[in-house]
Amino acid sequence: MSVKEAVRIAQSNNLMGLVCRSQLLNMVPAIIESIKAAGLVLVTDTSEEVSPSDTRSTTTALPYRMPGGVDGVLKGNGVLRFNTTIDM
């Protein structure tokens, strides 16, 4: 399913928003603007990101940096964290 189709389905069914993989949002940042322009909340899924505890090397992984426009983060441990406010 395309992001455009997911936005259309979310709007027509009065859903609050979408959850997108962090890799997709990093590759195509314009998706953030199009989802927000549709009036939807955007949560990024970082469950497949490498956490510092999963690395075997001596270097530490940098924490995930949430792009502008993203309203929340779904972490690998199942925790969904929203920003302090959600602008709709």
Side-chain angles (χ1 to χ4, degrees):
M1 175 186 307
S2 70
V3 174
K4 184 177 182 179
E5 181 73 8
V7 167
R8 187 187 65 75
I9 290 170
Q11 286 179 316
S12 64
N13 289 294
N14 293 324
L15 299 177
M16 188 174 177
L18 296 176
V19 177
C20 292
R21 290 184 62 190
S22 61
Q23 292 173 339
L24 178 64
L25 297 178
N26 289 331
M27 287 190 300
V28 189
I31 291 175
I32 298 170
E33 296 167 14
S34 64
I35 293 171
K36 297 305 288 182
L40 297 172
V41 171
L42 177 60
V43 172
T44 182
D45 179 5
T46 61
S47 62
E48 294 187 12
E49 298 284 324
V50 177
S51 67
S53 62
D54 292 342
T55 59
R56 304 266 187 241
S57 65
T58 57
T59 60
T60 58
L62 295 174
Y64 177 73
R65 298 181 96 176
M66 194 170 8
V70 174
D71 298 303
V73 176
L74 177 62
K75 302 210 176 224
N77 58 1
V79 174
L80 175 58
R81 185 192 68 183
F82 283 99
N83 293 341
T84 55
T85 61
I86 297 176
D87 298 325
M88 294 186 66

